[in-house]
Amino acid sequence: MRDIIRGTRRFISGLRPVKVPDAPARAFRDLWPGDANRGARLLRGEFEHLGTTHRLDPAPEAASGWDDRAGPATWRAAAHGFAWLRDLRALGTDAARTRARDLAEDWLGRGAEEELAQAPDVAAARVSAWLGHWDFVAATAEDGFRKRLLVRLAQDARGVVASLPAEAMHRGALVTLKGAIAAAVALEEEAWMTRALRFLPGELERQFHPDGGHVERSPAQQLLAMQDLIEIRNLLHGAGISPPALLATVLERAGQALRLYRHGDGGLAQFNGTREEGAGLVDLVLTQGQARGRAPMLLEETGFHRLQAGRTLVIADAAAPPPARARDAGTGLPRGADRYAHAGTLSFEMSVGRDRLVVNCGAAPGAEGAWRDALRATAAHSTLILADTNSSELKEEGLGRRPERVEQERHEANGAQWLESSHDGWRKPFGAVHRRRLYLAETGDDLRGEDIIEMLEQGAKPPSFVLRFHLHPGVTASLQEEDQAVLLRLPSGQGWRLRAKGAAVSLEESLYLGGEQRRNSQIVLTTEAGQDTVQWALGRVAAVPGEAAEA
């Protein structure tokens, strides 16, 4: 670390003043579609990010939307990052262009000196956003505004380049490199490009496992990181620079890994800060990334498995959480790859065709702490929770206590698939290990599970535990008390039934934040203290018209 600091200081001291041109030397445009609904909210002075909305209003009498009173650090980082420009652009109106300029002008006056705004990954995101929307925001603006924006862009870019290699262990380090490369192209700074290319291969190796999975173990971050790779590749090609050979290799592997996380509806499974990304964006990223082939059945190093038979798909988390790092005291932003990690080890999701059946509750990474952590908790996932205690300790900067040993073993025979996994997240508080076995029949019509609490101290009895199966809001459920079962009806009309042995079966309300907040149901299997095993089965049945609708 000291060598990095010394090297950075030498680089900064050797930088010549940046010559600010009248316009970027090379025009390039943001590749990704915006959301017109979010753009319309920005016109009303509301910025929505990952399910959380706060005021972002350029009116002089309005409170600043940039300082630490405006919202949580993650929400403010997104505001300072300006990726929301694509949402205003999606409106395609003069009012949207005016609002984009007004917000940029307001930021120059009231937000530019905020410490959070100067964090390398936040500044780099802003550099990329301004350059990617230059024709929309600045190209036809008055000379003074355009000059102020370019001067600030050059200042930010200089700091971003000097910060390399980035200290963050998460995707923000990749964003920092992307911003440095974009600025080097736009401002024709050869030394900046040389420095960025020096660190790019190492960052690719640090960000991605050999199986293509991103270090954060989050489908959402996998998608965003792949977008970063595509933009970096395009920037280098556009500047006539051959990208490192490793970039194409990593991009191909990342695309395959992204496919593993997709349900039958084309959207992403909800693990570790992920919400239901639309299938259209995922398709676009895979196309731009030139990712070919079918989804792999497992990501060996990343630790996600895909069980698939017939029209049934199960996606399971069977690995330890990503590594941690202390939060940046100045900005409040977490630096570890576990920044969005949930306490959902050994949770799974299930879909049948295009219908999601069993889900996790979703995420709100930009929300206030209590609400954000309610969705990160083990109880918000389709897995076992022991003594109402999370399998990982939830902290502001990521995770504290966590599973250290997560084992997995997979078998296949004649089209049937087994996944046996375990974690020791409750070893310290209870001296217990959770073991889960999943079996998917070759037809896809029968998913069976067994969950076991193994006590490490001889003769010890486990506390009571609960198994939760959160259901997608499109699923209708009715409790069959006499059979200790729950009858389920999918939007397609298919019928499924969950039965259990060794636990009391109940049906409770839940909340789903795959996108907009919606009510849903959860099947809850409850044991008594001393019970160590629950067996359950989800099987397809002939749909019974009207029966499930009574719930």
Side-chain angles (χ1 to χ4, degrees):
M1 179 60 70
R2 289 174 180 164
D3 289 342
I4 293 174
I5 293 173
R6 282 196 293 267
T8 300
R9 287 173 177 167
R10 285 197 300 269
F11 181 76
I12 292 174
S13 64
L15 283 176
R16 61 174 174 77
V18 181
K19 182 180 179 181
V20 181
D22 293 330
R26 185 178 298 274
F28 39 88
R29 180 165 175 164
D30 184 65
L31 294 173
W32 315 114
D35 185 320
N37 290 327
R38 287 201 297 264
R41 296 186 73 171
L42 277 164
L43 288 182
R44 300 195 297 268
E46 301 174 346
F47 173 45
E48 186 271 325
H49 176 64
L50 297 177
T52 302
T53 302
H54 293 280
R55 296 295 297 175
L56 190 62
D57 195 333
E61 66 277 7
S64 171
W66 313 108
D67 62 28
D68 57 10
R69 297 166 297 175
T74 300
W75 179 90
R76 289 187 293 117
H80 284 286
F82 277 74
W84 44 262
L85 283 171
R86 64 172 62 113
D87 298 327
L88 285 172
R89 186 173 202 153
L91 289 174
T93 64
D94 290 340
R97 189 189 304 271
T98 298
R99 175 52 59 101
R101 290 173 179 170
D102 288 347
L103 282 169
E105 189 74 78
D106 188 59
W107 182 86
L108 290 169
R110 297 196 289 179
E113 300 312 311
E114 289 291 324
E115 191 164 11
L116 179 62
Q118 299 172 57
D121 48 341
V122 177
R126 184 169 58 250
V127 166
S128 295
W130 282 358
L131 290 172
H133 297 89
W134 190 260
D135 61 328
F136 173 66
V137 177
T140 59
E142 59 93 14
D143 292 344
F145 170 76
R146 189 170 62 250
K147 187 70 173 179
R148 288 192 297 277
L149 210 61
L150 261 179
V151 167
R152 180 65 204 202
L153 187 152
Q155 292 172 348
D156 283 342
R158 189 174 189 267
V160 165
V161 173
S163 75
L164 298 174
E167 290 191 15
M169 297 171 66
H170 53 63
R171 175 185 153 257
L174 200 59
V175 173
T176 302
L177 267 172
K178 180 180 69 175
I181 291 171
V185 173
L187 301 180
E188 297 184 304
E189 291 285 341
E190 186 176 343
W192 294 4
M193 181 65 76
T194 299
R195 185 170 176 83
L197 290 177
R198 173 186 168 196
F199 293 113
L200 178 57
E203 196 59 54
L204 293 175
E205 292 181 349
R206 188 172 70 143
Q207 290 277 322
F208 293 90
H209 296 298
D211 60 19
H214 186 255
V215 67
E216 293 190 56
R217 303 191 69 251
S218 163
Q221 296 304 311
Q222 182 82 28
L223 178 68
L224 289 167
M226 195 170 169
Q227 290 175 254
D228 294 332
L229 296 182
I230 292 167
E231 292 178 60
I232 289 171
R233 179 200 65 192
N234 290 2
L235 283 166
L236 294 177
H237 282 160
I241 298 172
S242 297
L246 181 61
L247 178 58
T249 301
V250 170
L251 186 53
E252 181 178 1
R253 291 174 181 169
Q256 294 306 308
L258 183 63
R259 290 186 187 278
L260 180 140
Y261 296 124
R262 299 189 82 181
H263 276 293
D265 60 7
L268 299 179
Q270 294 173 118
F271 297 96
N272 296 325
T274 303
R275 296 157 64 83
E276 275 190 33
E277 294 291 348
L281 177 59
V282 182
D283 285 339
L284 176 60
V285 171
L286 289 170
T287 298
Q288 289 279 353
Q290 300 174 1
R292 301 176 180 87
R294 302 179 63 182
M297 290 296 102
L298 76 155
L299 299 177
E300 188 169 356
E301 292 85 10
T302 310
F304 280 92
H305 285 254
R306 185 178 175 98
L307 309 179
Q308 190 166 13
R311 302 183 71 238
T312 301
L313 168 64
V314 174
I315 304 174
D317 178 352
R325 188 164 189 164
R327 182 175 49 168
D328 186 309
T331 66
L333 292 175
R335 300 283 92 186
D338 62 343
R339 58 176 178 166
Y340 297 139
H342 288 199
T345 307
L346 303 196
S347 64
F348 78 95
E349 294 197 343
M350 174 182 176
S351 57
V352 182
R354 297 185 62 81
D355 294 333
R356 299 195 188 205
L357 176 50
V358 178
V359 296
N360 296 317
C361 284
E368 302 288 349
W371 181 228
R372 179 198 65 219
D373 287 352
L375 292 163
R376 296 173 67 208
T378 304
H381 297 75
S382 292
T383 189
L384 179 149
I385 178 169
L386 180 64
D388 200 28
T389 302
N390 290 322
S391 59
S392 293
E393 179 188 7
L394 303 178
K395 302 185 76 171
E396 184 74 20
E397 64 270 21
L399 300 178
R401 171 191 54 81
R402 65 186 63 204
E404 296 176 2
R405 187 181 182 92
V406 182
E407 298 179 333
Q408 52 186 285
E409 189 172 348
R410 182 182 180 125
H411 308 276
E412 298 185 25
N414 301 320
Q417 298 152 69
W418 295 261
L419 177 61
E420 300 184 16
S421 52
S422 66
H423 79 78
D424 65 350
W426 291 298
R427 179 177 57 84
K428 290 181 180 179
F430 302 111
V433 170
H434 173 206
R435 300 190 183 280
R436 164 164 276 186
R437 297 170 178 159
L438 299 176
Y439 163 83
L440 182 63
E442 66 275 10
T443 62
D445 292 339
D446 184 15
L447 175 67
R448 300 180 190 179
E450 182 178 57
D451 285 273
I452 301 169
I453 292 296
E454 177 185 301
M455 304 304 293
L456 300 178
E457 182 180 339
Q458 188 172 4
K461 298 293 184 182
S464 63
F465 61 86
V466 171
L467 287 173
R468 299 181 186 275
F469 301 81
H470 295 275
L471 305 175
H472 189 270
V475 176
T476 308
S478 61
L479 181 64
Q480 298 180 312
E481 295 186 32
E482 68 282 1
D483 296 327
Q484 280 287 281
V486 178
L487 183 65
L488 308 169
R489 189 172 64 187
L490 278 59
S492 64
Q494 280 192 32
W496 286 70
R497 180 180 283 112
L498 186 143
R499 299 178 184 272
K501 179 181 178 182
V505 181
S506 61
L507 193 61
E508 299 180 6
E509 290 186 347
S510 183
L511 283 176
Y512 181 73
L513 267 83
E516 294 295 322
Q517 180 176 315
R518 290 185 281 171
R519 292 188 178 275
N520 64 327
S521 300
Q522 59 174 312
I523 300 171
V524 181
L525 309 183
T526 306
T527 69
E528 296 181 355
Q531 178 78 25
D532 62 3
T533 302
V534 172
Q535 295 175 326
W536 51 269
L538 257 171
R540 183 175 177 179
V541 298
V544 181
E547 184 176 346
E550 295 174 2

PDB file of all heavy atoms in Angstrom, residues 202-216:
ATOM      1  N   GLY A 202      -4.551  -6.271 -14.488  1.00  0.00           N
ATOM      2  CA  GLY A 202      -4.602  -6.687 -13.092  1.00  0.00           C
ATOM      3  C   GLY A 202      -5.971  -6.508 -12.488  1.00  0.00           C
ATOM      4  O   GLY A 202      -6.426  -7.338 -11.687  1.00  0.00           O
ATOM      5  N   GLU A 203      -6.652  -5.432 -12.869  1.00  0.00           N
ATOM      6  CA  GLU A 203      -7.991  -5.190 -12.337  1.00  0.00           C
ATOM      7  C   GLU A 203      -8.989  -6.201 -12.884  1.00  0.00           C
ATOM      8  O   GLU A 203      -9.893  -6.641 -12.161  1.00  0.00           O
ATOM      9  CB  GLU A 203      -8.448  -3.764 -12.663  1.00  0.00           C
ATOM     10  CG  GLU A 203      -9.627  -3.294 -11.844  1.00  0.00           C
ATOM     11  CD  GLU A 203      -9.327  -3.325 -10.346  1.00  0.00           C
ATOM     12  OE1 GLU A 203      -8.321  -2.737  -9.909  1.00  0.00           O
ATOM     13  OE2 GLU A 203     -10.116  -3.966  -9.615  1.00  0.00           O
ATOM     14  N   LEU A 204      -8.829  -6.584 -14.136  1.00  0.00           N
ATOM     15  CA  LEU A 204      -9.705  -7.620 -14.698  1.00  0.00           C
ATOM     16  C   LEU A 204      -9.550  -8.931 -13.928  1.00  0.00           C
ATOM     17  O   LEU A 204     -10.542  -9.612 -13.636  1.00  0.00           O
ATOM     18  CB  LEU A 204      -9.382  -7.836 -16.175  1.00  0.00           C
ATOM     19  CG  LEU A 204      -9.696  -6.670 -17.115  1.00  0.00           C
ATOM     20  CD1 LEU A 204      -9.211  -6.992 -18.524  1.00  0.00           C
ATOM     21  CD2 LEU A 204     -11.191  -6.357 -17.123  1.00  0.00           C
ATOM     22  N   GLU A 205      -8.325  -9.279 -13.591  1.00  0.00           N
ATOM     23  CA  GLU A 205      -8.093 -10.512 -12.841  1.00  0.00           C
ATOM     24  C   GLU A 205      -8.644 -10.412 -11.432  1.00  0.00           C
ATOM     25  O   GLU A 205      -9.116 -11.399 -10.864  1.00  0.00           O
ATOM     26  CB  GLU A 205      -6.595 -10.817 -12.797  1.00  0.00           C
ATOM     27  CG  GLU A 205      -6.006 -11.205 -14.155  1.00  0.00           C
ATOM     28  CD  GLU A 205      -4.533 -11.528 -14.090  1.00  0.00           C
ATOM     29  OE1 GLU A 205      -3.913 -11.246 -13.027  1.00  0.00           O
ATOM     30  OE2 GLU A 205      -3.995 -12.059 -15.078  1.00  0.00           O
ATOM     31  N   ARG A 206      -8.596  -9.218 -10.854  1.00  0.00           N
ATOM     32  CA  ARG A 206      -9.088  -9.034  -9.485  1.00  0.00           C
ATOM     33  C   ARG A 206     -10.621  -8.992  -9.456  1.00  0.00           C
ATOM     34  O   ARG A 206     -11.240  -9.454  -8.498  1.00  0.00           O
ATOM     35  CB  ARG A 206      -8.514  -7.739  -8.905  1.00  0.00           C
ATOM     36  CG  ARG A 206      -8.811  -7.570  -7.418  1.00  0.00           C
ATOM     37  CD  ARG A 206      -8.075  -6.393  -6.831  1.00  0.00           C
ATOM     38  NE  ARG A 206      -8.582  -5.115  -7.285  1.00  0.00           N
ATOM     39  CZ  ARG A 206      -8.658  -4.024  -6.515  1.00  0.00           C
ATOM     40  NH1 ARG A 206      -8.254  -4.071  -5.259  1.00  0.00           N
ATOM     41  NH2 ARG A 206      -9.105  -2.884  -6.994  1.00  0.00           N
ATOM     42  N   GLN A 207     -11.228  -8.465 -10.503  1.00  0.00           N
ATOM     43  CA  GLN A 207     -12.680  -8.266 -10.515  1.00  0.00           C
ATOM     44  C   GLN A 207     -13.456  -9.527 -10.871  1.00  0.00           C
ATOM     45  O   GLN A 207     -14.606  -9.670 -10.456  1.00  0.00           O
ATOM     46  CB  GLN A 207     -13.043  -7.172 -11.525  1.00  0.00           C
ATOM     47  CG  GLN A 207     -12.628  -5.776 -11.136  1.00  0.00           C
ATOM     48  CD  GLN A 207     -13.630  -5.111 -10.201  1.00  0.00           C
ATOM     49  OE1 GLN A 207     -14.825  -5.271 -10.351  1.00  0.00           O
ATOM     50  NE2 GLN A 207     -13.127  -4.370  -9.238  1.00  0.00           N
ATOM     51  N   PHE A 208     -12.846 -10.419 -11.646  1.00  0.00           N
ATOM     52  CA  PHE A 208     -13.587 -11.568 -12.157  1.00  0.00           C
ATOM     53  C   PHE A 208     -12.898 -12.873 -11.798  1.00  0.00           C
ATOM     54  O   PHE A 208     -11.685 -13.004 -11.940  1.00  0.00           O
ATOM     55  CB  PHE A 208     -13.749 -11.473 -13.681  1.00  0.00           C
ATOM     56  CG  PHE A 208     -14.620 -10.335 -14.125  1.00  0.00           C
ATOM     57  CD1 PHE A 208     -14.056  -9.093 -14.392  1.00  0.00           C
ATOM     58  CD2 PHE A 208     -15.985 -10.496 -14.257  1.00  0.00           C
ATOM     59  CE1 PHE A 208     -14.845  -8.029 -14.792  1.00  0.00           C
ATOM     60  CE2 PHE A 208     -16.788  -9.437 -14.653  1.00  0.00           C
ATOM     61  CZ  PHE A 208     -16.223  -8.203 -14.918  1.00  0.00           C
ATOM     62  N   HIS A 209     -13.695 -13.835 -11.349  1.00  0.00           N
ATOM     63  CA  HIS A 209     -13.183 -15.182 -11.119  1.00  0.00           C
ATOM     64  C   HIS A 209     -12.914 -15.858 -12.466  1.00  0.00           C
ATOM     65  O   HIS A 209     -13.441 -15.429 -13.502  1.00  0.00           O
ATOM     66  CB  HIS A 209     -14.206 -15.997 -10.325  1.00  0.00           C
ATOM     67  CG  HIS A 209     -14.453 -15.473  -8.943  1.00  0.00           C
ATOM     68  ND1 HIS A 209     -13.470 -15.405  -7.990  1.00  0.00           N
ATOM     69  CD2 HIS A 209     -15.583 -14.993  -8.351  1.00  0.00           C
ATOM     70  CE1 HIS A 209     -13.970 -14.907  -6.874  1.00  0.00           C
ATOM     71  NE2 HIS A 209     -15.248 -14.648  -7.065  1.00  0.00           N
ATOM     72  N   PRO A 210     -12.128 -16.928 -12.469  1.00  0.00           N
ATOM     73  CA  PRO A 210     -11.881 -17.643 -13.730  1.00  0.00           C
ATOM     74  C   PRO A 210     -13.142 -18.145 -14.422  1.00  0.00           C
ATOM     75  O   PRO A 210     -13.154 -18.315 -15.644  1.00  0.00           O
ATOM     76  CB  PRO A 210     -10.986 -18.815 -13.295  1.00  0.00           C
ATOM     77  CG  PRO A 210     -10.275 -18.304 -12.075  1.00  0.00           C
ATOM     78  CD  PRO A 210     -11.275 -17.449 -11.371  1.00  0.00           C
ATOM     79  N   ASP A 211     -14.229 -18.365 -13.650  1.00  0.00           N
ATOM     80  CA  ASP A 211     -15.483 -18.824 -14.273  1.00  0.00           C
ATOM     81  C   ASP A 211     -16.301 -17.676 -14.862  1.00  0.00           C
ATOM     82  O   ASP A 211     -17.394 -17.892 -15.405  1.00  0.00           O
ATOM     83  CB  ASP A 211     -16.323 -19.626 -13.274  1.00  0.00           C
ATOM     84  CG  ASP A 211     -16.703 -18.816 -12.028  1.00  0.00           C
ATOM     85  OD1 ASP A 211     -16.638 -17.575 -12.064  1.00  0.00           O
ATOM     86  OD2 ASP A 211     -17.072 -19.446 -11.011  1.00  0.00           O
ATOM     87  N   GLY A 212     -15.802 -16.440 -14.766  1.00  0.00           N
ATOM     88  CA  GLY A 212     -16.506 -15.282 -15.320  1.00  0.00           C
ATOM     89  C   GLY A 212     -17.379 -14.557 -14.326  1.00  0.00           C
ATOM     90  O   GLY A 212     -17.875 -13.468 -14.619  1.00  0.00           O
ATOM     91  N   GLY A 213     -17.591 -15.143 -13.147  1.00  0.00           N
ATOM     92  CA  GLY A 213     -18.421 -14.485 -12.145  1.00  0.00           C
ATOM     93  C   GLY A 213     -17.700 -13.293 -11.527  1.00  0.00           C
ATOM     94  O   GLY A 213     -16.496 -13.328 -11.281  1.00  0.00           O
ATOM     95  N   HIS A 214     -18.467 -12.224 -11.260  1.00  0.00           N
ATOM     96  CA  HIS A 214     -17.886 -11.023 -10.672  1.00  0.00           C
ATOM     97  C   HIS A 214     -17.671 -11.235  -9.176  1.00  0.00           C
ATOM     98  O   HIS A 214     -18.414 -11.961  -8.512  1.00  0.00           O
ATOM     99  CB  HIS A 214     -18.799  -9.821 -10.907  1.00  0.00           C
ATOM    100  CG  HIS A 214     -18.202  -8.522 -10.468  1.00  0.00           C
ATOM    101  ND1 HIS A 214     -18.598  -7.865  -9.329  1.00  0.00           N
ATOM    102  CD2 HIS A 214     -17.201  -7.778 -11.000  1.00  0.00           C
ATOM    103  CE1 HIS A 214     -17.881  -6.769  -9.181  1.00  0.00           C
ATOM    104  NE2 HIS A 214     -17.030  -6.690 -10.178  1.00  0.00           N
ATOM    105  N   VAL A 215     -16.656 -10.578  -8.623  1.00  0.00           N
ATOM    106  CA  VAL A 215     -16.242 -10.806  -7.250  1.00  0.00           C
ATOM    107  C   VAL A 215     -17.334 -10.462  -6.236  1.00  0.00           C
ATOM    108  O   VAL A 215     -17.373 -11.025  -5.139  1.00  0.00           O
ATOM    109  CB  VAL A 215     -14.948 -10.017  -6.945  1.00  0.00           C
ATOM    110  CG1 VAL A 215     -15.198  -8.519  -6.961  1.00  0.00           C
ATOM    111  CG2 VAL A 215     -14.346 -10.450  -5.622  1.00  0.00           C
ATOM    112  N   GLU A 216     -18.274  -9.585  -6.582  1.00  0.00           N
ATOM    113  CA  GLU A 216     -19.328  -9.211  -5.641  1.00  0.00           C
ATOM    114  C   GLU A 216     -20.423 -10.270  -5.520  1.00  0.00           C
ATOM    115  O   GLU A 216     -21.293 -10.149  -4.662  1.00  0.00           O
ATOM    116  CB  GLU A 216     -19.934  -7.857  -6.017  1.00  0.00           C
ATOM    117  CG  GLU A 216     -18.972  -6.699  -5.850  1.00  0.00           C
ATOM    118  CD  GLU A 216     -19.639  -5.339  -5.995  1.00  0.00           C
ATOM    119  OE1 GLU A 216     -20.599  -5.060  -5.262  1.00  0.00           O
ATOM    120  OE2 GLU A 216     -19.189  -4.567  -6.870  1.00  0.00           O
TER     121      GLU A 216
END
